[in-house]
Amino acid sequence: MARMQVVPLLEIVTESHHTMTYRFRADFGGTAGQFVMVWIPGQDELPMALSYLGPVKGITVHAYGDATRALQSFRPGDRVGVRGPYGNTFKLEGEKVLAVAGGTGMASIIAAVEAFAQQGAAVTTAVGARTAEELLFVDRASASGEVHVSTDDGTRGFHGFVPSLAERLLEKHKFDQVLTCGPEKMMKLVVDAAMKRGLKVQASLERFMKCGIGICDACAFDDRLVCVDGPVFTGAQLAASKDFGAYRRTKDGRRVEL
Amino acid sequence: MVDLRTEIAGVRLRNPTMLASGFLDETGGSLVRVYRAGAGAVVTKSIGPEPREGYSNPTIVELDAGLLNAVGLPNPGIAAFEAELLEALAAKAVVIGSVYGKDAAEYAKVAGRMAEAGAAAIEMNLSCPHAKGLGTEIAQSEDAVQEFTRAVKDAVDVPVFPKLSPNVADIASFALAAERGGADGIVAINTVKAMAIAPELRMPILANRFGGLSGPAIRPIGVRAVYDIYEKVDIPVIGVGGIDSGHAALEYVMAGASAVQIGTALVDQGLAVFERATKEMASLLEDIGFHSVAEAVGAAHG
């Protein structure tokens, strides 16, 4: 069992008007792609990808609901509960890697980009966001390899969605591995583009989650669980999936179209 | 060779292990996966008449010797759940449908639909210790246990197993009440009411403040409950609470359980726990000179 640790926030960085990074020290490990359950006291407990690994970990959070908006008012020294790390990891294989991130999907992808680069892989990152202000970790990705940027509104880089940018990069260059994280419809396009070319691909999925440890069945995805069998799934697993890009589960467990 | 097959009120199982309600049992895909991993039967998440989201997180606290939870009975409602049940039945899984409701009529209605859809038996969640108006009060009244059991018995043709709460002074008297209501078997125990506090924040961790404790910490409570119940009733008992090995399962069997349910052990051992516990039971029974599980049921009674 992994005990929850209640830890003070050490540093809080505003990444955009609705996204902040929270750094904290916790005495557990963590590898690229894994997540932690974060208790925002009095609010909720939510799964969040580790955007910084190492002793001073980090999570990067888009304020989209009551709990994550409440977290925006937290200051250094305020405490949160963390337990984990949970889930599987991006497998470090391949020499030429394309990482494709949409929105806060970059929080999970950046840890993989840095880990792959440290292992000697040549990593190209395609970072997408709605506007220039919302682009995440472009500098960190640049320190690990080549970076291409897309914005939906054209305020910076390629004007359009990040899967179209990825498609262009896949046309122009040779890669042997594709990683992706972001909205599921976006990832579906990236996975299809990689599979079409016979490339290995790994995608990190997000589902409504309660326990994080493989018992509550809330994050069921086909006959798998995103919390313990994922969050990272391979292209082969996703190609065989009825749920990927098509269905999700509501909080009460009903299966509905995405 | 030790014969591991068991039968509870006519429900035949290939081995005495079952998936406990509340674990990996809200979706057809997961029920199938657990059955294929070796469980003798799978019990569904407790299903009610309407969809229910359950409580906000935190809904679970991981502890050294168990798990504290107040998930709040999330479920898709019986209408949507039928498709999940059918998926499990199509894979030939033996499925026991767990039901709850706010009154006897709701229990009967959900149980009726569950049985009609093909559940091999009905487990009545009479004792969820943390959902207001949905269990705790029922579990505290012998008359209610008898009345609700009778209502469900009248609504279905499959065996009915009320699941009892340990949060009472004398659980055996509740088992007798269930038997009077026509129960075909007893499931004991549900979780033990408990709480965890984060001192750094001066507040309980669970959003619901208190919840139910499961896992090895409650096994001696469960074993004692089954022992007491076995002395009082003539119907079979299904033991649950902290079973994480064949050794632990046999404690329950010798206390009087004809089958056992496993839940919390999934956290540390994963689905392999069913096959592992089953093999350990067989080997341990052989070591101590038993030929079947049936022969060992209640063996600890003088």
Side-chain angles (χ1 to χ4, degrees):
Chain A
M1 302 270 176
R3 278 213 156 197
M4 176 187 282
Q5 297 172 41
V6 176
V7 296
L9 296 171
L10 302 176
E11 191 192 356
I12 301 171
V13 179
T14 301
E15 309 283 1
S16 78
H17 66 281
H18 59 47
T19 301
M20 300 174 103
T21 294
Y22 304 86
R23 307 290 303 270
F24 58 89
R25 201 177 277 279
D27 62 6
F28 50 69
T31 48
Q34 286 195 296
F35 66 94
V36 289
M37 295 297 292
V38 179
W39 177 32
I40 304 159
Q43 297 286 335
D44 205 343
E45 185 192 39
L46 299 163
M48 293 179 185
L50 287 169
S51 57
Y52 287 89
L53 307 174
V56 181
K57 296 169 184 19
I59 49 168
T60 300
V61 184
H62 179 175
Y64 57 87
D66 293 346
T68 45
R69 272 197 295 271
L71 188 59
Q72 282 198 314
S73 68
F74 277 46
R75 298 289 163 253
D78 289 347
R79 290 166 198 269
V80 297
V82 288
R83 57 186 176 95
Y86 297 122
N88 67 358
T89 185
F90 284 109
K91 279 207 187 60
L92 301 182
E93 50 186 31
E95 286 167 10
K96 294 200 67 173
V97 178
L98 175 65
V100 186
T104 35
M106 191 61 182
S108 165
I109 284 288
I110 189 62
V113 167
E114 289 175 347
F116 274 57
Q118 271 167 25
Q119 298 247 328
V123 187
T124 300
T125 311
V127 189
R130 278 183 301 200
T131 73
E133 198 246 345
E134 295 177 15
L135 288 161
L136 286 176
F137 301 134
V138 173
D139 293 348
R140 282 176 71 191
S142 301
S144 292
E146 200 175 307
V147 175
H148 298 264
V149 161
S150 74
T151 49
D152 302 356
D153 65 356
T155 44
R156 187 170 157 194
F158 173 80
H159 185 175
F161 298 128
V162 74
S164 311
L165 172 61
E167 186 81 41
R168 289 186 170 205
L169 293 165
L170 287 165
E171 276 306 308
K172 260 212 285 214
H173 307 285
K174 277 192 93 65
F175 296 100
D176 49 27
Q177 179 79 225
V178 177
L179 316 176
T180 185
C181 187
E184 196 157 314
K185 297 264 190 201
M186 176 228 116
M187 287 196 286
K188 176 87 171 74
L189 294 169
V190 175
V191 169
D192 288 349
M195 297 286 282
K196 191 173 76 189
R197 293 173 173 86
L199 299 178
K200 285 191 173 171
V201 54
Q202 305 175 54
S204 177
L205 268 54
E206 188 177 356
R207 281 290 184 277
F208 174 72
M209 219 175 257
K210 273 182 178 278
C211 75
I213 54 174
I215 56 171
C216 77
D217 215 13
C219 66
F221 171 78
D222 298 312
D223 63 347
R224 296 189 175 90
L225 300 170
V226 170
C227 68
V228 290
D229 301 309
V232 180
F233 292 92
T234 65
Q237 289 173 323
L238 297 173
S241 167
K242 286 196 293 282
D243 284 359
F244 182 56
Y247 297 97
R248 66 182 179 91
R249 296 250 177 204
T250 56
K251 288 182 180 181
D252 55 34
R254 281 178 294 175
R255 194 161 171 264
V256 296
E257 284 184 28
L258 260 182
Chain B
M1 274 298 280
V2 172
D3 189 353
L4 287 168
R5 288 172 301 176
T6 189
E7 189 177 320
I8 323 254
V11 181
R12 281 205 283 267
L13 308 178
R14 57 189 176 179
N15 72 62
T17 67
M18 296 179 181
L19 172 71
S21 184
F23 294 84
L24 292 185
D25 51 1
E26 193 174 71
T27 67
S30 290
L31 288 166
V32 170
R33 195 174 173 188
V34 177
Y35 190 72
R36 288 197 176 137
V42 287
V43 184
T44 68
K45 187 152 283 193
S46 293
I47 304 297
E50 301 297 333
R52 186 178 151 96
E53 289 189 355
Y55 298 136
S56 306
N57 266 2
T59 50
I60 67 136
V61 182
E62 295 176 75
L63 301 165
D64 293 336
L67 203 60
L68 179 58
N69 93 83
V71 184
L73 294 172
N75 78 97
I78 185 64
F81 187 72
E82 276 172 359
E84 312 288 346
L85 179 60
L86 293 177
E87 191 183 336
L89 294 172
K92 307 259 186 273
V94 178
V95 183
I96 296 174
S98 174
V99 302
Y100 75 85
K102 70 173 181 328
D103 52 36
E106 275 194 5
Y107 269 90
K109 182 182 149 211
V110 180
R113 288 190 68 168
M114 189 76 93
E116 214 167 279
I122 299 298
E123 180 173 292
M124 296 171 62
N125 182 356
L126 287 174
S127 44
C128 183
H130 51 75
K132 279 189 198 71
L134 298 171
T136 309
E137 294 83 353
I138 307 162
Q140 305 296 332
S141 156
E142 289 170 37
D143 289 346
V145 167
Q146 180 176 338
E147 178 204 337
F148 281 48
T149 304
R150 176 59 63 199
V152 171
K153 268 301 282 181
D154 290 347
V156 301
D157 293 327
V158 296
V160 174
F161 307 141
K163 183 172 179 179
L164 301 180
S165 169
N167 305 312
V168 293
D170 176 19
I171 193 170
S173 61
F174 286 79
L176 274 170
E179 193 176 40
R180 284 196 300 273
D184 300 284
I186 300 289
V187 182
I189 54 174
N190 207 315
T191 53
V192 177
K193 199 169 172 178
M195 178 182 268
I197 287 173
E200 302 89 340
L201 294 161
R202 303 171 217 179
M203 64 192 287
I205 297 175
L206 293 173
N208 189 56
R209 299 199 316 272
F210 62 86
L213 180 66
S214 60
I218 71 163
R219 188 164 67 235
I221 301 172
V223 170
R224 192 271 299 164
V226 169
Y227 193 94
D228 281 358
I229 292 167
Y230 182 80
E231 300 247 307
K232 290 271 176 64
V233 301
D234 295 321
I235 48 179
V237 185
I238 299 167
V240 53
I243 296 164
D244 57 1
S245 66
H247 191 277
L250 282 182
E251 278 197 73
Y252 273 94
V253 169
M254 293 203 178
S258 302
V260 295
Q261 296 182 352
I262 297 177
T264 303
L266 283 161
V267 179
D268 288 331
Q269 299 185 47
L271 293 176
V273 67
F274 291 102
E275 211 180 285
R276 190 176 297 144
T278 303
K279 278 188 181 153
E280 271 176 24
M281 277 176 93
S283 124
L284 191 50
L285 281 170
E286 197 161 12
D287 280 356
I288 56 179
F290 285 89
H291 300 96
S292 69
V293 172
E295 200 185 328
V297 174
H301 292 260

